[in-house]
Amino acid sequence: MSLKKILIVDDERGFTEMVKLNLEATGYYQVKIENRGTHALSTALKYKPDLILLDVIMPELEGPDVVNQLKRDPDLQDVPVVFLTATVTKEEVDVQGGFIGGHAFIAKPSSLEKLINCVRDHIG
Amino acid sequence: MKTIFKKDLAVLVIEDNKIDAKIVRSMLEKTSYGKFHVSFVMTIKEAIELLLTQKFDVCLLDLNLKDSKGLDSLKKINKKYAHLPIVVNTGAYQDSLGLKAVTQGAQDYLIKGKYKPYALSKSLYYAVQRKKAELELQIAYNRLKETQSQLIQAEKLSCVGGVASGVAHEVKNPLATILYGVEYLNMKLDKEDEKTVLTLNSIKDAAKKANEIIKELLDFASISHFHQQAEDVNEIIQHSLNFTKHQCESNNIKVDAELTDKLAQVKVDKNRIEQVIVDVLLNAIYAMPDGGGLTVKTWAETFSASLKSKIGDSANFFKAGDEVVCISIEDTGKGIKKEDLNQIFDPFFTTRRAAGGVGLGLSIAKTIMTSHKGGIMLENVRGKGARATLMFKVKRKG
């Protein structure tokens, strides 16, 4: 069985490394890290991920702008995006049913279980 | 001559010299400058007794009485009846004593034999007017002081609130890294080694604790976003009590809810008010580590002066005649230290630092109540514990 490909775009190096380690340890996923929002589009085009985990607040280019770039690209517009953000609380995410602006949201820090469940919901 | 001073004045004359009393009586009763209803007593004791049952507009006080001498007499009356204007009437002329009397609350200082009916009438009427102005000034000053302290509090809170969201974002990212790092190590490291498990759990708990603090800080930042609608206070209380039921049971605390039926609804953000009540309940529970009793009451009443003293500096939101719904939460704990009462709503003030208290709960509670234009006050109940009172204004349509 081939591994599902996940791209994580987040300027927090340490955080992206931990997400990669944990998701790859499940044995179902292969994770690529991109720490610069401005490079997200080109990395995604090369890597062809099944799912993108995307930080909201990043220097240079913020998460919602990255989504706009992805949506304009025919190869990437259908790739599901899950926002990872420290700007809202778990409660705020729960109140919104886990979706804000049509995208799934995970509040930082959330439990690993929640992150894995969310990934599983999107790409199995 | 026609009457100059229109209002009738009830005058209490404290004078033990019969001749002097007679002179004052004839001056006041026969004068056409104003209309006086004069009562005479000979001692301070009699004066205080009479003042208990009878209302006077002004007091004319001799300083040389059988049961009290000099300015002591002034102090005694002033202490018990601060609202009563006093004019000193004495035989001994001393400039320094006169000035001293005025400094200590007398409205005027008259020398027996040196004034005529008009001057006496004028002195008494002016004393009443001056005292009225003085009291109004005092009320305005108190209000200004209350407003000032509210502003200082609001400034402190908005300062914390402003920093909160920025800090939250910066701190949550490293926290997420720590938590996911611990999860990974948990998977990979030897579960048999107790020390490894202890270390990982300690790191995880510390990160979670830090996250809780951040969450409380964020509550400040989002405090202005309310979703207010008409709610039943009793329902909010029941819900809050359910929330804290477990803590009450495990701490051997008996809960007694005396909730008044059919209270008028109040316009509030239910979740936020629940947060306030739960916080107050938890504080009460913490105050009774060896068990005790918790009494929660709700009632409606009309706002009046007696309620004003119960609600402290939040009283500015209410005026006499307002229909209010009140909640009181009373515990049988050790009460609040006198020196802590002034700071209890300050951000980061806590008496439970060692037990992990952050000191934001009550200041958030106060901010939430203030944003609802509601009142909250904490006080000690003599020989019982502490009591929190919450108050909301009922707004009727039309």
Side-chain angles (χ1 to χ4, degrees), chain A residues 45-104:
Chain A
L45 278 168
K46 275 184 237 154
Y47 185 59
K48 299 195 183 347
D50 297 301
L51 173 75
I52 298 172
L53 298 175
L54 182 60
D55 188 17
V56 176
I57 312 278
M58 288 183 287
E60 302 177 323
L61 194 65
E62 298 204 335
D65 298 322
V66 173
V67 169
N68 286 337
Q69 288 184 343
L70 297 171
K71 291 295 161 204
R72 280 199 294 268
D73 191 289
D75 289 340
L76 296 170
Q77 61 188 353
D78 294 328
V79 178
V81 172
V82 172
F83 278 118
L84 293 172
T85 178
T87 51
V88 293
T89 63
K90 269 182 276 186
E91 288 71 15
E92 282 170 304
V93 174
D94 290 345
V95 165
Q96 308 268 354
F99 283 86
I100 301 176
H103 295 282

Side-chain angles (χ1 to χ4, degrees), chain A residues 10 12 14-15 18-19 21-22 25 55 57 86-92 106 108-112 115, chain B residues 168-170 172-185 187-188 207 211-212 215 218 222:
Chain A
D10 192 314
E12 286 281 327
F15 178 68
M18 289 308 116
V19 170
L21 278 179
N22 280 296
D55 188 17
I57 312 278
T87 51
V88 293
T89 63
K90 269 182 276 186
E91 288 71 15
E92 282 170 304
I106 291 186
K108 284 185 201 171
S110 276
S111 69
L112 186 62
L115 175 69
Chain B
H169 184 251
E170 293 308 314
K172 279 174 157 195
N173 272 312
L175 281 179
T177 309
I178 294 170
L179 283 170
Y180 286 2
V182 170
E183 296 272 9
Y184 184 74
L185 292 176
M187 240 183 322
K188 296 284 170 187
N211 190 41
E212 282 304 307
K215 211 184 118 218
L218 271 178
S222 60

Side-chain angles (χ1 to χ4, degrees), chain B residues 46 73-74 113 118 142 148 178 186 192 198 252 269 280 296 308 321 338 370:
Chain B
E46 284 169 6
S73 314
L74 177 67
Y118 174 70
N142 289 345
Q148 189 197 24
I178 294 170
N186 247 333
E192 301 295 311
L198 179 71
N252 200 18
D269 183 317
V280 171
V296 183
K308 205 170 172 174
K338 210 176 164 192
T370 305

Side-chain angles (χ1 to χ4, degrees), chain B residues 157-175:
Chain B
L157 294 175
S158 84
C159 201
V160 176
V163 173
S165 44
V167 170
H169 184 251
E170 293 308 314
V171 178
K172 279 174 157 195
N173 272 312
L175 281 179

Side-chain angles (χ1 to χ4, degrees), chain B residues 314-360:
Chain B
S314 320
N316 273 357
F317 294 129
F318 305 94
K319 58 180 192 303
D322 279 347
E323 188 183 351
V324 293
V325 166
C326 304
I327 303 169
S328 76
I329 297 169
E330 209 172 296
D331 63 53
T332 56
K334 51 192 181 294
I336 305 159
K337 278 188 199 153
K338 210 176 164 192
E339 63 266 30
D340 293 344
L341 269 172
N342 282 339
Q343 315 175 65
I344 204 137
F345 292 115
D346 283 357
F348 300 111
F349 175 80
T350 178
T351 55
R352 299 183 54 256
R353 186 84 65 205
V358 179
L360 284 175

Side-chain angles (χ1 to χ4, degrees), chain B residues 330-395:
Chain B
E330 209 172 296
D331 63 53
T332 56
K334 51 192 181 294
I336 305 159
K337 278 188 199 153
K338 210 176 164 192
E339 63 266 30
D340 293 344
L341 269 172
N342 282 339
Q343 315 175 65
I344 204 137
F345 292 115
D346 283 357
F348 300 111
F349 175 80
T350 178
T351 55
R352 299 183 54 256
R353 186 84 65 205
V358 179
L360 284 175
L362 281 175
S363 52
I364 291 174
K366 171 101 178 181
T367 309
I368 293 173
M369 290 304 290
T370 305
S371 304
H372 279 84
K373 293 198 169 16
I376 180 166
M377 193 173 107
L378 287 170
E379 63 191 322
N380 284 316
V381 186
R382 196 173 290 213
K384 279 187 185 167
R387 175 171 51 217
T389 308
L390 276 70
M391 197 183 288
F392 301 92
K393 197 189 285 188
V394 177
K395 284 178 193 148

